[in-house]
Amino acid sequence: MPVDRFVVDFLCHDAKLIVELDGGPHAENIRADLARTEILENCGYRVIRYWNSEILQKLENVLEDILAHLNRRK
């Protein structure tokens, strides 16, 4: 989904929540990711990030965490 000048992985407009999935190259681009997150937050979104390995190995935990973020907005 496009937000500002970026394409984000997952976006819930109602909750103003962006979920980003990060692979190996993100470990080398931490500054770029921080800058991107700051811009997205300035657009009014909360950004949460998960490593691809987390999703593959602990999907239930990731889903529970996303749900907890969604519940916090209520």
Side-chain angles (χ1 to χ4, degrees):
M1 292 293 301
V3 176
D4 195 80
R5 62 180 174 262
F6 303 108
V7 175
V8 300
D9 294 324
F10 297 96
L11 169 67
C12 179
H13 284 289
D14 291 343
K16 302 294 280 180
L17 181 67
I18 293 172
V19 177
E20 292 280 75
L21 312 180
D22 294 342
H26 288 269
E28 299 169 7
N29 297 314
I30 293 171
R31 282 189 190 163
D33 282 342
L34 289 173
R36 174 184 165 111
T37 295
E38 183 177 353
I39 292 166
L40 294 170
E41 288 175 344
N42 286 335
C43 291
Y45 293 95
R46 281 181 300 143
V47 179
I48 53 176
R49 296 180 168 277
Y50 302 96
W51 291 104
N52 289 342
S53 58
E54 278 183 280
I55 294 159
L56 293 172
Q57 297 169 8
K58 300 177 182 180
L59 180 59
E60 188 171 324
N61 293 349
V62 169
L63 295 174
E64 288 174 0
D65 190 57
I66 293 170
L67 183 59
H69 280 276
L70 290 170
N71 287 331
R72 276 186 222 135
R73 78 175 190 99
K74 295 180 180 180

